[in-house]
Amino acid sequence: SQQGEEDPQALSIQEGENATMNCSYKTSINNLQWYRQNSGRGLVHLILIRSNEREKHSGRLRVTLDTSKKSSSLLITASRAADTASYFCATGLLNTGFQKLVFGTGTRLLVSP
Amino acid sequence: EADIYQTPRYLVIGTGKKITLECSQTMGHDKMYWYQQDPGMELHLIHYSYGVNSTEKGDLSSESTVSRIRTEHFPLTLESARPSHTSQYLCASSERKQGVVGELFFGEGSRLTVL
């Protein structure tokens, strides 16, 4: 089954509101990363949080990580219409001989003006 | 802006045709990846490479093949396309970092439709 699962699958809010997306995973991780994808485009890296970190900020983004619960959340504050996109968490795994990222199912965010 | 390029962006072809999706990066990254993504769905790793002459299959079985003859170039080939190959293919690269899974830089994707 998928390593990372996100909820909600879709989120619709008004401009100025905060958006929170959650990610759960199954195995031990090296780090957890969040990416954004505009419709029909490639993914863009937003933020990386290491397994020994609990919280990280970048501009209007706040990411938390709880390794005991194997979960992470992404908070976008004061959302804008331009934040409309799909957001994916990705768990960084250090398997023997290979490092890889496993992507979650994604949350589709719609921010209405 | 990431310096990783994919061509073509869109391709519509008939069943049985051979196609090659191109991916090039100018960042000197050792690691390169191909992901497959259906609309609105998660990404699945189909191929990866740690460097020149190194290629491995990913988590999702794919009938495609890849090659890595030059560091900057990681093309994906389908010898005989079928409608089930219709999907978006995303190429990515990352630096080699000891003990750390680094961030990925993605191309804009190649959307393939097989009729």
Side-chain angles (χ1 to χ4, degrees):
Chain A
S1 60
Q2 188 67 15
Q3 156 78 339
E5 294 194 4
E6 296 176 62
D7 84 278
Q9 288 187 323
L11 180 60
S12 183
I13 59 174
Q14 299 291 122
E15 267 192 327
E17 295 180 338
N18 297 341
T20 299
M21 290 159 260
N22 303 296
C23 171
S24 60
Y25 57 92
K26 295 182 171 63
T27 63
S28 296
I29 60 172
N30 174 259
N31 60 49
L32 189 143
Q33 304 178 28
W34 286 89
Y35 288 79
R36 167 195 169 122
Q37 183 181 35
N38 286 359
S39 180
R41 308 291 293 272
L43 280 74
V44 176
H45 180 264
L46 294 176
I47 196 166
L48 180 154
I49 185 165
R50 290 190 286 264
S51 59
N52 61 354
E53 296 177 310
R54 292 297 167 259
E55 188 170 313
K56 202 160 184 180
H57 296 256
S58 177
R60 293 184 296 112
L61 305 180
R62 172 177 169 254
V63 169
T64 61
L65 179 64
D66 187 335
T67 52
S68 66
K69 295 181 179 178
K70 292 187 169 56
S71 67
S72 174
S73 68
L74 170 68
L75 168 68
I76 303 174
T77 59
S79 62
R80 306 166 183 166
D83 294 328
T84 294
S86 291
Y87 292 82
F88 292 87
C89 69
T91 47
L93 306 180
L94 285 177
N95 297 328
T96 301
F98 180 58
Q99 304 170 354
K100 66 177 180 180
L101 275 179
V102 178
F103 284 82
T105 50
T107 293
R108 289 186 302 280
L109 174 66
L110 173 64
V111 182
S112 301
Chain B
E1 289 291 319
D3 295 316
I4 180 164
Y5 307 100
Q6 289 186 241
T7 57
R9 285 291 314 279
Y10 303 94
L11 180 61
V12 180
I13 59 169
T15 296
K17 299 291 186 184
K18 176 180 178 180
I19 65 109
T20 296
L21 304 180
E22 303 286 350
C23 176
S24 295
Q25 50 96 6
T26 58
M27 296 172 282
H29 288 169
D30 285 327
K31 297 182 189 176
M32 295 190 74
Y33 313 80
W34 277 103
Y35 286 87
Q36 185 174 341
Q37 182 187 32
D38 291 326
M41 304 295 285
E42 64 260 42
L43 284 73
H44 294 286
L45 180 67
I46 53 174
H47 298 284
Y48 61 93
S49 168
Y50 259 172
V52 171
N53 295 325
S54 151
T55 62
E56 300 288 344
K57 290 189 178 296
D59 302 322
L60 181 68
S61 175
S62 174
E63 293 168 348
S64 58
T65 59
V66 292
S67 63
R68 190 89 184 272
I69 299 172
R70 303 198 315 267
T71 298
E72 62 271 21
H73 197 213
F74 192 41
L76 181 146
T77 298
L78 275 167
E79 290 292 334
S80 180
R82 296 189 278 113
S84 61
H85 297 137
T86 294
S87 189
Q88 167 142 282
Y89 294 84
L90 292 163
C91 181
S93 70
S94 69
E95 289 183 77
R96 182 190 292 266
K97 293 182 179 180
Q98 188 68 26
V100 175
V101 182
E103 68 177 273
L104 297 188
F105 294 86
F106 280 86
E108 292 288 356
S110 292
R111 182 167 295 282
L112 173 66
T113 301
V114 184
L115 303 176

